[in-house]
Amino acid sequence: MRPYEWDKSIEELCSSKEEAQELKEVASLLRSMPGVRASSSFQAELKARLMEKALSEDMYALEGNKKENKVLHLMNIGYRYGGKILKARPLFTAVAAVFVILMMAVFYSQGRVEPPAPPQIASSENPAKSESAPEMLVEQFAESGKEERNIPPAEPGQQESEDSHGTGNIAPPGDTPPEKTTPPEETPIKENPDEDPTGPAVPEVTETQPLKSDPEFEAWKNRQNFVVAGQINLPPVYYGVERDAALPAKRVNCSWTPWKTTPVSKGPGDTVVFGTEDWAEETLSNNGFIFSDGDYLECNLQETQKGLFAEVFYRPQKSAGKALTLVLHCQEGAGILSYYYKEEGEAAQPGYYPLLTPSEAFKQADTLQWYASSPRLDLSFQFQEVILTYNDFLLVENGRQDTVRLPAYCFLGREMNHNGGQLKLFLPAVKR
Amino acid sequence: MLIDKKEQEIISRAQDNPGSFAPLYDYYFPKIYNYIYHRVQNTQLAEDLVSETFYKALANIKKFKWQDRSFACWLYTIARNQVIDQFRRQEPLLLDDTKDDLAAPADDNPEEKVLYDVTKEELLKAIKTLSADQQDALLLRFQEDLKIKEIALVLNKNEGAIKALLFRGLKNLRKKLEGGDYNEAV
């Protein structure tokens, strides 16, 4: 520590020498206040965690996050802009596609392109499609035509299998041109044309498909509802006291203020792109579901006439109880529309069940009975994290009590007025 | 503070390879912990905020530039932001007569029981009644040994404002200690 020098400049602000002397004394007192040392175990533990983090790939990737996000952002803009063009110019797109097909057909019928070798031979003998370009051009075209017309939407693995078994289903070359002139709207459209690397021309036709008017979420396909017969009685909360010595605490204040995180890899003005994993992580974390490395996260983006929607599936890797899969339905600009969870049969029939938002569920905390060591103790709890799990609640029906397992939000919080003690609060999450 | 040139080398290495962050951590951990603890006066909270500070420092070390501030200033700025965020998120920690907050570190670290005398307890209570900026200025100047110019960078104020903060902070502290009135915010 360098030697302490009294700031002469502060003296200039003093009205008298006595005042300056008084302030100097206080400064000396502050100066002599012994420093606080952290426990060596904490220091070592934090160091180990930091070094582990530093050596992990994630940390190295932090620098690249921004660039990656910019690429994603550009892709997103391109996707949206392209979609808008297609929406605005469907006729143009259709005409352009038909024109391309007609031109190919004319070239083919005039013999400018040599008829290809039998597709079966070409396919089995020479799977590398870069050789003998003109022939392969036609062959690829024929293959893509086959996939457009004959193959119903199939699993990617299945399609791969058919490709690898040769091209026996491909129509003879002579039959191909008339079929190519089929109007696009009569052509069965593949579910996911972008995944087919061999069909560069024809998938454009599929873009003319009008956007869906509404989103189609996975959770809606097997949506269930809870029917809880009876009233759920929430158990009393004992804070820092044994039940025998507990006294009802009346001055208890609870608040739900989820962490608002700002990813450190971004500047103040940067925003994450809707529908990306970064966006999903930020959305989850800002609503109290703290995303950690290793957590399961799936984000399905879809564009509709009403805008962009995303369905987010999230399940933490580590959890106090059994972690359930949370499903969020979100709309760009509107935020989270609804909460669901995926039930796998432990507490109810498998399916997707609607949930209360954490804020809605937290309102039930108002009905809790609190017990502490003193009734006059002012307790103030602040909850900032939440986990979706199961909890057994007491159900009362016609005077009869029973225990029922329900999805619950486990709120993690701290007491703020006294010792910062942690508390977990389980509240039913089910929407009835 | 580390000698600037040597520190620059260490930081450059850490920027190239975050695995080389350890010397910076070893050197600055006690300082950052001391500052944060005196600001929040709660061991658990201090540990959380210190962790956050170093995680953020590590994650952003590549963005650190030797342009206008030292690494220490940069680190204290992150630490101070953590403290501010924490106070924004929560109701102010209220002082009461149970001394729970002040007793907390002694429970966690037996060594501190010896160091923890009444004078320090009173001083801490009195510090807590000052405004956040006054606390920052006093702690950074008289506990962390930062220069007025450096404090100005951390608090994003000019040097004159820091001098005024120090002056008013010391004056208020004196008043509080003389009057024994620690519960009234300044």
Side-chain angles (χ1 to χ4, degrees):
Chain A
M1 196 173 277
R2 64 188 173 212
Y4 166 64
E5 290 170 19
W6 167 245
D7 299 298
K8 298 275 183 194
S9 54
I10 296 177
E11 275 188 25
E12 295 166 9
L13 300 170
C14 297
S15 56
S16 64
K17 282 189 176 178
E18 287 74 26
E19 189 181 32
Q21 184 57 36
E22 283 176 4
L23 297 190
K24 208 170 174 179
E25 283 171 14
V26 180
S28 299
L29 196 61
L30 274 172
R31 181 77 183 171
S32 62
M33 184 168 71
V36 179
R37 283 172 294 166
S39 70
S40 52
S41 61
F42 167 69
Q43 186 173 353
E45 192 185 312
L46 177 60
K47 186 178 179 180
R49 276 188 281 141
L50 281 167
M51 291 305 104
E52 190 185 341
K53 186 83 179 164
L55 295 171
S56 71
E57 287 182 1
D58 289 346
M59 187 55 70
Y60 286 112
L62 274 175
E63 181 68 11
N65 273 352
K66 207 165 181 177
K67 288 172 192 168
E68 189 187 343
N69 285 335
K70 280 181 181 167
V71 172
L72 279 171
H73 187 65
L74 287 173
M75 285 170 66
N76 198 310
I77 290 169
Y79 172 66
R80 275 190 269 174
Y81 189 62
K84 280 176 185 168
I85 289 173
L86 289 173
K87 265 196 286 185
R89 304 270 188 276
L91 187 62
F92 171 78
T93 310
V95 169
V98 170
F99 177 75
V100 170
I101 292 167
L102 280 174
M103 288 303 292
M104 292 299 290
V106 168
F107 276 125
Y108 186 82
S109 62
Q110 287 183 351
R112 290 188 186 185
V113 179
E114 291 293 321
Q120 297 88 338
I121 298 167
S123 175
S124 59
E125 284 185 358
N126 190 9
K129 297 187 177 182
S130 59
E131 289 181 21
S132 56
E135 289 160 354
M136 290 314 295
L137 181 70
V138 177
E139 184 196 328
Q140 284 174 6
F141 191 66
E143 277 186 12
S144 64
K146 175 215 61 169
E147 286 169 8
E148 286 292 318
R149 290 186 305 275
N150 298 336
I151 299 178
E155 296 294 324
Q158 188 186 341
Q159 189 168 325
E160 232 179 71
S161 165
E162 285 178 10
D163 289 347
S164 65
H165 281 99
T167 52
N169 288 339
I170 294 178
D175 295 342
T176 307
E179 289 183 25
K180 287 292 172 190
T181 58
T182 307
E185 49 275 16
E186 291 175 17
T187 306
I189 293 163
K190 287 201 307 177
E191 271 193 355
N192 204 353
D194 292 340
E195 287 182 5
D196 179 12
T198 62
V202 181
E204 284 181 18
V205 178
T206 63
E207 299 281 6
T208 60
Q209 186 186 24
L211 290 169
K212 292 170 196 164
S213 59
D214 292 299
E216 290 175 2
F217 293 124
E218 184 69 24
W220 289 349
K221 292 177 185 169
N222 189 13
R223 183 183 158 140
Q224 307 280 345
N225 278 302
F226 261 103
V227 180
V228 181
Q231 188 188 340
I232 296 169
N233 274 8
L234 297 175
V237 184
Y238 295 88
Y239 179 70
V241 65
E242 295 294 324
R243 292 189 182 210
D244 299 339
L247 293 167
K250 292 177 181 171
R251 287 146 65 166
V252 179
N253 176 41
C254 286
S255 63
W256 167 238
T257 48
W259 298 109
K260 296 285 179 199
T261 57
T262 305
V264 292
S265 58
K266 297 173 180 63
D270 292 346
T271 53
V272 289
V273 178
F274 179 84
T276 59
E277 288 202 353
D278 281 348
W279 163 83
E281 288 174 20
E282 192 177 309
T283 302
L284 284 162
S285 293
N286 284 348
N287 286 278
F289 299 92
I290 306 301
F291 185 88
S292 305
D293 291 344
D295 289 355
Y296 174 77
L297 182 65
E298 184 186 335
C299 189
N300 298 328
L301 186 66
Q302 51 183 305
E303 188 180 15
T304 72
Q305 291 175 8
K306 292 176 182 170
L308 280 174
F309 289 83
E311 188 173 38
V312 178
F313 296 83
Y314 165 68
R315 187 176 61 250
Q317 189 183 33
K318 291 175 186 172
S319 169
K322 177 173 181 175
L324 306 180
T325 305
L326 177 76
V327 185
L328 300 180
H329 290 167
C330 308
Q331 184 180 9
E332 190 181 34
I336 300 174
L337 303 174
S338 51
Y339 287 69
Y340 285 79
Y341 92 99
K342 187 180 181 183
E343 171 60 55
E344 290 173 348
E346 187 170 333
Q349 278 194 345
Y352 293 92
Y353 289 78
L355 295 176
L356 297 170
T357 67
S359 298
E360 288 169 343
F362 194 79
K363 286 176 186 166
Q364 298 169 96
D366 295 342
T367 64
L368 289 171
Q369 285 185 315
W370 293 83
Y371 290 88
S373 57
S374 162
R376 294 181 60 201
L377 208 58
D378 279 319
L379 295 173
S380 179
F381 293 95
Q382 189 176 48
F383 294 87
Q384 297 187 298
E385 291 182 38
V386 68
I387 297 165
L388 181 63
T389 183
Y390 284 127
N391 193 51
D392 293 332
F393 292 99
L394 196 65
L395 189 71
V396 181
E397 182 191 9
N398 297 329
R400 210 183 60 184
Q401 292 188 345
D402 201 359
T403 307
V404 60
R405 175 158 292 189
L406 293 173
Y409 286 126
C410 172
F411 292 93
L412 307 175
R414 275 209 176 100
E415 205 287 312
M416 304 307 293
N417 282 355
H418 297 278
N419 53 12
Q422 287 188 319
L423 185 70
K424 284 181 188 173
L425 206 58
F426 289 86
L427 295 170
V430 63
K431 208 171 194 173
R432 286 167 284 163
Chain B
M1 245 146 282
L2 292 173
I3 299 166
D4 278 352
K5 199 172 178 184
K6 190 183 170 192
E7 190 176 78
Q8 278 188 31
E9 285 172 15
I10 294 170
I11 291 165
S12 295
R13 274 205 299 274
Q15 286 178 322
D16 293 339
N17 174 14
S20 307
F21 187 74
L24 292 168
Y25 172 84
D26 289 338
Y27 184 78
Y28 283 107
F29 176 88
K31 293 169 177 292
I32 296 297
Y33 184 87
N34 189 53
Y35 163 68
I36 289 182
Y37 176 79
H38 282 128
R39 285 293 278 110
V40 300
Q41 297 187 20
N42 179 299
T43 305
Q44 198 168 4
L45 203 50
E47 289 183 355
D48 288 350
L49 297 180
V50 169
S51 302
E52 281 296 313
T53 300
F54 280 102
Y55 270 114
K56 289 208 165 143
L58 180 59
N60 289 284
I61 191 159
K62 289 187 179 175
K63 293 180 187 170
F64 172 73
K65 289 173 189 168
W66 287 94
Q67 283 177 347
D68 54 351
R69 64 177 66 189
S70 67
F71 184 75
C73 285
W74 184 71
L75 208 51
Y76 278 115
T77 306
I78 296 176
R80 180 172 174 263
N81 286 341
Q82 297 306 306
V83 173
I84 290 171
D85 283 350
Q86 174 61 27
F87 284 124
R88 275 184 192 149
R89 284 194 293 261
Q90 69 178 49
E91 293 295 317
L93 287 169
L94 299 174
L95 290 168
D96 62 13
D97 295 333
T98 62
K99 299 180 182 176
D100 281 349
D101 293 326
L102 297 174
D107 291 340
D108 288 42
N109 187 356
E111 288 173 37
E112 284 179 11
K113 280 179 180 167
V114 184
L115 303 173
Y116 226 75
D117 58 28
V118 178
T119 308
K120 182 178 180 183
E121 193 173 289
E122 286 175 354
L123 193 55
L124 281 173
K125 271 196 169 186
I127 289 171
K128 214 170 176 180
T129 62
L130 304 178
S131 73
D133 280 348
Q134 286 174 12
Q135 289 184 51
D136 280 330
L138 291 180
L139 290 172
L140 291 173
R141 179 72 193 98
F142 301 113
Q143 273 283 302
E144 305 307 321
D145 216 15
L146 262 61
K147 293 174 186 165
I148 288 178
K149 189 181 174 184
E150 291 170 324
I151 300 169
L153 289 169
V154 175
L155 270 62
N156 198 23
K157 295 182 188 293
N158 61 41
E159 291 183 38
I162 300 302
K163 284 175 193 169
L165 273 175
L166 288 170
F167 172 73
R168 284 201 304 272
L170 288 171
K171 208 170 166 183
N172 285 328
L173 201 56
R174 174 94 192 183
K175 203 158 70 179
K176 295 287 170 189
L177 289 170
E178 281 175 352
D181 175 18
Y182 309 133
N183 293 330
E184 185 189 340
V186 175

